Amino acid sequence: MHRTERLYTLQCTDSELDRVSRRLREIKASLGETEELRQARLDLEEAEKALHKLQARLRDLELENAGLGDKIKANEQRLYGGTVKNPKELTSLQEENAYLRRRRSHLEDVILEVMIEVEEAQERADGAQKHLTQVEEQWRVEQERLTAEQAELQDKLHALQERRQTLRAAVPPDDLEIYDDLRRRRGGLAVSILKEGICQGCQMSLPSSKAQQARQGDVLVFCGSCDRILYAR
Ligand SMILES: [Zn+2]
């Protein structure tokens, strides 16, 4: 293998390592609970809270209504039972009865309204539950996919690291120094392919003499524009 070819092979391995490491970092950030999942759970909690509040209100109203019914019953027994003879007392009982019936009629209207509200709140809670189930299912599938990808990439990472070590061991220390320095300064890309006289690292056209030199591969030829080591296949 020529000097430049060795560096180019090392560059390919390093670039792949960079890509794998980047993806692993992305996966790590995506593992765990998502904002969407947290929000869906919160929405359900709130919908259930609202539903329970309305259900409690309805129970209270129904209890009140039952109490009112008992009162009306007792009142009517006295009114029509024949035990009360005093006209004044009878009038008073009639008035109370009319008042109680008005109250009950109003209460029944309120109960109907609250029943509709309970029904709507139940629908919202059911919807929120359905949404949460969907989000959880999607999340679970996604987490499984990410975990599998992570395991696969970790294996790849180890293989690439080993390959990198082997490749580096075969490169002269001086070349390695130049290579590492260029990688640092040039966004991870130290070796650039020279294709049809154009440096693929910076897209600059190079003189044909340089291209020829690069093709020989036994001396390091640098791009005049981006400084990268040129590799001509
Ligand atoms: Zn260049």
Side-chain angles (χ1 to χ4, degrees):
M1 215 189 272
H2 281 298
R3 195 175 168 194
T4 335
E5 197 179 356
R6 267 189 224 289
L7 287 173
Y8 174 69
T9 313
L10 178 60
Q11 174 67 70
C12 290
T13 307
D14 273 331
S15 293
E16 183 67 357
L17 258 171
D18 289 346
R19 196 189 63 77
V20 169
S21 305
R22 213 163 32 238
R23 181 66 191 141
L24 277 169
R25 278 196 298 276
E26 275 173 16
I27 290 173
K28 203 177 164 197
S30 305
L31 282 172
E33 293 203 339
T34 59
E35 186 48 40
E36 192 189 19
L37 182 63
R38 272 193 290 272
Q39 190 57 54
R41 213 177 270 148
L42 214 67
D43 289 347
L44 175 62
E45 243 172 65
E46 271 168 24
E48 280 181 338
K49 218 196 283 177
L51 173 65
H52 294 154
K53 211 169 149 187
L54 281 166
Q55 281 170 335
R57 171 133 201 263
L58 185 58
R59 271 195 304 277
D60 288 347
L61 288 168
E62 278 167 346
L63 270 176
E64 195 185 336
N65 196 32
L68 211 50
D70 289 345
K71 250 188 200 167
I72 290 169
K73 210 172 154 191
N75 194 284
E76 284 179 350
Q77 266 168 6
R78 288 188 67 207
L79 191 58
Y80 306 117
T83 48
V84 181
K85 307 279 187 209
N86 184 331
K88 228 176 152 185
E89 204 178 330
L90 278 172
T91 309
S92 155
L93 273 172
Q94 264 165 353
E95 276 171 4
E96 198 190 343
N97 202 41
Y99 164 73
L100 288 173
R101 282 181 168 276
R102 274 200 307 277
R103 253 187 75 192
R104 186 164 72 173
S105 165
H106 171 70
L107 197 59
E108 276 167 356
D109 287 347
V110 175
I111 285 175
L112 267 177
E113 277 167 26
V114 175
M115 276 170 103
I116 291 167
E117 281 178 41
V118 166
E119 217 169 279
E120 285 167 353
Q122 181 70 63
E123 270 168 29
R124 274 193 296 274
D126 289 348
Q129 176 63 69
K130 206 173 150 197
H131 178 64
L132 175 62
T133 307
Q134 270 172 359
V135 169
E136 271 176 341
E137 176 60 14
Q138 279 168 1
W139 176 80
R140 202 183 51 73
V141 169
E142 178 66 2
Q143 294 289 301
E144 271 172 20
R145 195 186 65 73
L146 286 172
T147 308
E149 190 187 347
Q150 188 184 42
E152 199 180 296
L153 285 179
Q154 258 152 4
D155 287 348
K156 201 169 180 180
L157 186 79
H158 293 142
L160 282 166
Q161 278 164 343
E162 269 175 33
R163 182 170 159 75
R164 179 174 187 263
Q165 271 185 334
T166 311
L167 287 169
R168 282 180 76 90
V171 175
D174 286 353
D175 284 7
L176 267 188
E177 204 177 309
I178 295 167
Y179 171 86
D180 286 340
D181 178 56
L182 275 170
R183 278 251 301 155
R184 264 193 302 278
R185 291 193 291 120
R186 291 288 176 258
L189 195 71
V191 183
S192 171
I193 291 174
L194 183 64
K195 195 177 164 193
E196 286 158 12
I198 292 166
C199 164
Q200 298 302 303
C202 69
Q203 302 303 319
M204 284 299 283
S205 185
L206 295 164
S208 58
S209 58
K210 220 165 210 191
Q212 214 159 17
Q213 247 184 322
R215 260 192 296 277
Q216 285 170 2
D218 40 16
V219 278
L220 297 187
V221 181
F222 300 93
C223 170
S225 169
C226 70
D227 285 348
R228 293 186 176 100
I229 300 157
L230 292 168
Y231 171 66
R233 290 171 200 259

